[in-house]
Amino acid sequence: MARLPGHWAADVQQHNAIAARFERTARVWTPSSDRPSLAAFHRLEDAVLTGPDGLRLYLLGHRTSRILVCPLIPDDLHEDLTNRMSAPPSVAVPAEAARAAWRITDRLIPHYLAVTAQARRPSPARTAPTAPRPLPRMTAASPRDAGRTLR
């Protein structure tokens, strides 16, 4: 955590059953149909890292000496945005702290920040409607057009 940019705090939990992990995976930034598969991993220990600007990362053992790092939907955003926006990538990182921090900082956080900023911007549908543009003023026809008829 000390190697990640900004200040990050960890919440590590040991679950007594796979079902207990569903609450922790409910806000993983993936399509909602993929979330139950994350909760079904056999290792029952996981962690949530909370960083600057409400960014949170979900970590769980992936393979021998590998950790899967998934971005979580920030609390100020609704879960339905996963249906209309591409998720930032999840990455499998080595268990070695320096290499893991580099991969998270280089591969995951820039995308996570960009997509989160885009999701926090008001969409055109949610902004106040703008006044309609005035119609162009009709002017008298020039003398050359006086004898023409419309077809």
Side-chain angles (χ1 to χ4, degrees), residues 12 17 35 78 86-87 90 131 138:
V12 179
R35 292 181 197 145
H78 195 274
S86 297
S90 295
M138 300 300 287

Side-chain angles (χ1 to χ4, degrees), residues 15-78:
H15 304 283
N16 56 5
I18 290 173
R21 193 182 324 191
F22 279 103
E23 185 177 325
R24 303 257 291 186
T25 62
R27 294 197 58 88
V28 171
W29 201 328
T30 63
S32 56
S33 60
D34 293 346
R35 292 181 197 145
S37 64
L38 288 171
F41 272 66
H42 296 290
R43 295 188 181 121
L44 295 177
E45 183 177 68
D46 63 10
V48 173
L49 298 181
T50 304
D53 296 326
L55 299 182
R56 294 182 309 141
L57 301 173
Y58 179 70
L59 287 71
L60 72 155
H62 179 51
R63 295 184 185 148
T64 305
S65 72
R66 303 289 284 177
I67 298 167
L68 184 62
V69 182
C70 307
L72 293 171
I73 300 167
D75 289 335
D76 63 331
L77 297 173
H78 195 274

